[in-house]
Amino acid sequence: MERGKIAQWVLIGIAAILFWQFGGNLFGKGNEEVQPNTFYDANRLPDAQRQPEQICTINGARFEAELSSRGGSLRHLRLTDQGKYSKNGKPIDLVTTSQEWRQPLRTDLRLPGVEKQQTPFDNLDWKLAAQDGKSCTFVYEDATSKLTKVVRETGKPFELEMTLEVKNLSAEPLKHRLTVEQTSWRTTEETKGSLGRISEHMTDVVAATPEKVDRLHADAFEPKDFKDAEFTNEYWRRSPGAAKWVAVSSVYFTKAAIPLEGPAPLAETQIEEDWNREKFDAASREKDKDTHGHVYRARLAYPDVELAPQATQTYKVLSFTGPKEREVLAAVGPGITEVIDLGTFSPIAKVLVGYLKILHKAVGSWGFAIALLTITVRMLLFPLSISQIKSSAAMRRLKPEMDDINARYKEDPAQRGLALQELWRKHGVTNPVLGCIPVLLQMPVWFALYQALQTAVELYHVPFLSARIIPDLSDKGEYFVIPAILGASSFFQQKLMPPQGDPMQQKMMQYMLPGIFVVMMLYLPAGLGVYMLTNTWLGIAQQVAVERYLSRKTQGSAGIEVREKKSSGDETKSAPALGKGKARVRG
């Protein structure tokens, strides 16, 4: 197979991948089914009977949290790192839901379908009994129950610890079922990616048990999916085994809940589609695209508990709401770093990220650390590339002979192929198809590095070189400088390659491939641009160095003569037409 044909298949493959990842956005879902009703708060205290809302503020390590007496839940959690975790001069608030019944850390104790329960309503009004800037104590008490909920900062970044004590004041046994959830709300427009890039607001729900880690997106909660065996009669998707932790995660931030004390809970997840609408068809999505979205929910669902009169049950849950900084997550608890989605090749990506952090400590710049990481990876993979570079150099040297063969057998592709193969064999040139194998072997490393750099919160809001040109390594650069330089570099690299195939195929490789790189890089994070640009320059340097080395070893012409095999005896007679398998190369 000629290199031109390979180029065609490469371009077709790239187009197929891009369409697979982003083409679905070009067409509406066309689904007029609706999700089942997931709203179970049937017994609610009427608004007219509600008490005034009380707010308690906790100042923790690198965050400020506001909790409400309505549900004892989070209303706001702002990150207090100046610059890095702020937008438009304001701290990032990781609480994105506004409805009381979808607030993070809201305490639910009622069971659906049970007559005698520990609490009379789902929307409880708690009394703020105490606060000191580091903790909040909420108390709810009626004739049958006394609930005490203490939320405090742990001294570690982005952590809150919630302790709930449930006491039965009734003269008869009563049941309750605690659920504690983390939530997030995002519109469909927010979660859409641009060409080649994942939106930083792309969100998933994660449930971790000893058996597995389930990572689910909205497409796992289509109306038909709620009929699957994994879903409960409350329409939550239950992961097998006891919960280790649950989380709602975007690309750079996560909200996790980890059980610390009490009965072993289950891990359940749910993604509600635009819960305040009655119809979820494609036309409604397009009409209300600015407001249409999903509520992402992940919860710890504790088993039912029946309390005897005056009996008490205590629960303790750790909440982490913050950026996915690897060192910080590792200190939260075992396995929490799995909230970082490193894709299929996560073992490779973890090694690369660990090495990147070491380089950053050495040079003090994430941009230069990425460049050094690229150099290291390129050098380690050089043994896989050397044969391809050598073949490329040899094919450049053999270009006159190859042109002669192409012209001689212009009308006979089979004979042309045989002659080219014989020429390559004679001079130890790897077949272009076999030359692709080293590239394929490197693909897992490239994919892992791509995913690692695109999800690294360490690059979030970090400038490189010039804050005006690259103000944020996690976002596209200004003025499209990196795509332009990458396109020019890729064009130059293609000029170094020996031309193959017909002129149309040559133009495809020389112009279209660099053009594709430019388009792909327009909206990719600048950190990936630094990697791709460094990688391209290294590829050019390696190719030039190898070709110069080979040219010093082999001076002059290749000494190849391609001719038709003469009939035996009289060489003065004109040669007969070359039959099948008769192509020969003589040095």
Side-chain angles (χ1 to χ4, degrees), residues 183-198:
T183 60
S184 184
W185 156 258
R186 287 297 176 190
T187 66
T188 304
E189 288 298 305
E190 285 179 316
T191 57
K192 281 184 179 179
S194 53
L195 184 63
R197 185 188 177 185
I198 303 171

Side-chain angles (χ1 to χ4, degrees), residues 330-342:
V332 174
I336 300 297
T337 54
E338 292 297 320
V339 295
I340 304 173
D341 185 8
L342 292 176

Side-chain angles (χ1 to χ4, degrees), residues 52-216:
E53 184 179 23
Q54 297 176 289
I55 299 295
C56 177
T57 301
I58 295 177
N59 292 297
R62 302 174 64 189
F63 73 95
E64 178 186 79
E66 290 184 11
L67 293 99
S68 170
S69 59
R70 295 192 171 181
S73 56
L74 274 174
R75 284 292 186 267
H76 301 281
L77 194 143
R78 302 181 182 92
L79 307 181
T80 55
D81 287 5
Q82 293 295 324
K84 183 172 177 63
Y85 298 127
S86 62
K87 286 190 175 181
N88 301 320
K90 296 181 179 179
I92 293 176
D93 188 351
L94 293 184
V95 177
T96 55
T97 47
S98 57
Q99 278 76 7
E100 178 188 342
W101 52 88
R102 294 294 181 264
Q103 291 290 323
L105 296 187
R106 181 171 177 266
T107 305
D108 290 308
L109 290 167
R110 290 179 60 83
L111 295 83
V114 176
E115 183 177 351
K116 293 183 179 181
Q117 305 211 37
Q118 193 70 60
T119 56
F121 302 107
D122 295 288
N123 55 340
L124 299 178
D125 282 330
W126 298 72
K127 178 182 177 182
L128 180 57
Q131 60 175 319
D132 59 7
K134 298 296 182 183
S135 66
C136 304
T137 301
F138 297 98
V139 176
Y140 171 85
E141 188 170 358
D142 59 21
T144 61
S145 305
K146 181 178 181 180
L147 312 177
T148 304
K149 182 175 183 177
V150 179
V151 181
R152 69 176 187 89
E153 60 96 17
T154 67
K156 294 182 179 180
F158 317 116
E159 285 189 8
L160 289 171
E161 183 184 86
M162 185 203 77
T163 303
L164 176 67
E165 184 180 273
V166 182
K167 185 174 183 180
N168 182 14
L169 302 181
S170 173
E172 60 180 334
L174 293 178
K175 281 188 175 182
H176 72 270
R177 192 274 311 271
L178 173 66
T179 59
V180 180
E181 68 180 88
Q182 297 283 22
T183 60
S184 184
W185 156 258
R186 287 297 176 190
T187 66
T188 304
E189 288 298 305
E190 285 179 316
T191 57
K192 281 184 179 179
S194 53
L195 184 63
R197 185 188 177 185
I198 303 171
S199 166
E200 69 172 277
H201 299 302
M202 175 63 72
T203 305
D204 54 32
V205 290
V206 190
T209 69
E211 296 186 25
K212 62 188 302 190
V213 175
D214 282 325
R215 191 186 310 276
L216 304 164

